[in-house]
């Protein structure tokens, strides 16, 4: 049976990871970004309209004001609409969704490993602290990567413009002065990363203390004179 100290450390790590999963799950349903831009009919020198794209991970809304020749408001599923437009945005968005799924999977594995260690002593196996380090570290790294990919998709591609163009009734539009604002869903990935790191620290604190204790127990034997050890 594990010691009380080990039980507390591993259960605390499992609890912290569970909170991070809840935060990430909420983030997946919240607003991630709003993109605004000026819009005009192709070939016209004046921007006489505007469009606003409100983005979540799975759903979005486009509000058009005289863009490019009329206005309207449409809600839609993000990934299927990006598949219709094609190009880099659909690939990057698909990678973001895949990384989010992997983050959740790694966090769930971390929770299971932490709970298992709180009732057992699989110290020399992948189900010990090493497995927990691997799962939590991987989830944090993947979350950092998905943040980078999402920002690249939002600012470096024509994702928002393609989504507006998809509802322009076939009239070619030109866009300029695009700006984007990040929202709570995007920023909640940061505490998810921080909590994953805290979960690692909790296990490391116990692992380091246990290692130090084992070394102290071995030291008298290691430091004993050879004459004494012969008897």
């Amino acid at each position: 049976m594990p010691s009380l100290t080990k039980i507390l450390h591993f259960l605390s790590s499992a609890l912290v990871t569970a909170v991070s999963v809840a935060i990430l799950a909420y983030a997946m349903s919240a607003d991630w970004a709003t993109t605004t831009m000026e819009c005009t009919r192709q070939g016209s020198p004046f921007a006489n309209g505007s469009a606003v794209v409100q983005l979540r991970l799975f759903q979005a809304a486009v509000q058009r004001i005289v863009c490019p020749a009329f206005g309207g408001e449409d809600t839609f599923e993000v990934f299927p609409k990006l598949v219709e437009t094609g190009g880099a945005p659909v690939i990057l968005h698909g990678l973001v969704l895949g990384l989010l799924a992997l983050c959740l999977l790694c966090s769930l594995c971390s929770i299971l490993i932490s709970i298992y260690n709180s009732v057992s002593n699989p110290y020399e196996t992948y189900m010990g602290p090493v497995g927990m380090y691997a799962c939590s570290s991987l989830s944090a790294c993947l979350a950092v990567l998905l943040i980078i990919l999402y920002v690249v998709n939002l600012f470096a591609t024509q994702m928002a413009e393609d989504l507006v163009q998809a509802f322009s009734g076939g009239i070619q539009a030109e866009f300029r002065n695009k700006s984007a604002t990040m929202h709570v869903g995007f920023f909640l990935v940061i505490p998810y990363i921080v909590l994953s790191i805290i979960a690692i620290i909790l296990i490391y604190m116990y692992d380091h203390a246990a290692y130090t204790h084992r070394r102290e127990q071995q030291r008298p034997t290691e430091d004993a004179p050879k004459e004494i050890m012969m008897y």
Side-chain angles (χ1 to χ4, degrees):
M1 184 68 183
S3 65
L4 179 61
T5 302
K6 181 179 182 182
I7 292 173
L8 291 176
H9 275 81
F10 277 91
L11 285 182
S12 297
S13 177
L15 178 61
V16 169
T17 307
V19 172
S20 73
V21 170
I23 290 175
L24 190 62
Y26 176 77
M28 294 173 69
S29 64
D31 292 337
W32 276 57
T34 297
T35 302
T36 61
M37 66 198 79
E38 295 178 353
C39 171
T40 187
R41 185 189 294 265
Q42 191 174 43
S44 174
F46 303 105
N48 56 359
S50 63
V52 178
V53 183
Q54 296 177 324
L55 289 167
R56 295 186 176 186
L57 286 178
F58 302 101
Q59 292 184 327
V62 171
Q63 183 179 6
R64 293 168 291 109
I65 302 173
V66 196
C67 179
F70 51 89
E73 185 171 350
D74 302 278
T75 57
F76 54 93
E77 300 291 329
V78 176
F79 194 75
K81 186 59 67 175
L82 288 176
V83 171
E84 294 178 13
T85 60
V90 64
I91 298 173
L92 291 174
H93 193 72
L95 287 174
V96 169
L97 296 180
L99 290 174
L100 280 167
L102 288 176
C103 285
L104 291 175
L105 178 61
C106 290
S107 292
L108 290 176
C109 290
S110 179
I111 292 172
L112 292 176
I113 292 174
S114 297
I115 292 176
Y116 181 55
N117 277 266
S118 68
V119 297
S120 183
N121 286 300
Y123 220 81
E124 300 298 329
T125 71
Y126 63 92
M127 289 296 289
V130 174
M132 189 273 166
Y133 293 152
C135 290
S136 293
S137 299
L138 187 58
S139 63
C141 293
L142 292 175
V144 172
L145 181 58
L146 77 87
I147 286 178
I148 295 172
L149 290 179
Y150 190 84
V151 171
V152 170
N153 200 19
L154 190 64
F155 290 96
T157 71
Q158 302 292 314
M159 179 177 67
E161 292 89 334
D162 291 343
L163 292 174
V164 175
Q165 183 67 63
F167 295 97
S168 64
I171 302 173
Q172 293 299 312
E174 293 182 353
F175 305 95
R176 64 194 70 170
N177 298 329
K178 182 175 75 171
S179 63
T181 303
M182 313 309 293
H183 292 308
V184 62
F186 176 83
F187 290 114
L188 282 178
V189 181
I190 297 174
Y192 169 81
I193 296 171
V194 173
L195 289 174
S196 296
I197 296 173
I198 291 175
I200 295 173
I201 293 173
L202 287 171
I203 302 304
Y204 176 79
M205 290 171 59
Y206 167 78
D207 199 20
H208 179 70
Y211 174 78
T212 303
H213 180 66
R214 289 195 302 270
R215 292 292 297 174
E216 289 176 350
Q217 288 183 325
Q218 295 171 359
R219 189 171 300 160
T221 303
E222 293 175 352
D223 297 338
K226 292 182 178 180
E227 292 79 5
I228 298 177
M229 293 177 65
M230 292 176 61
Y231 292 95

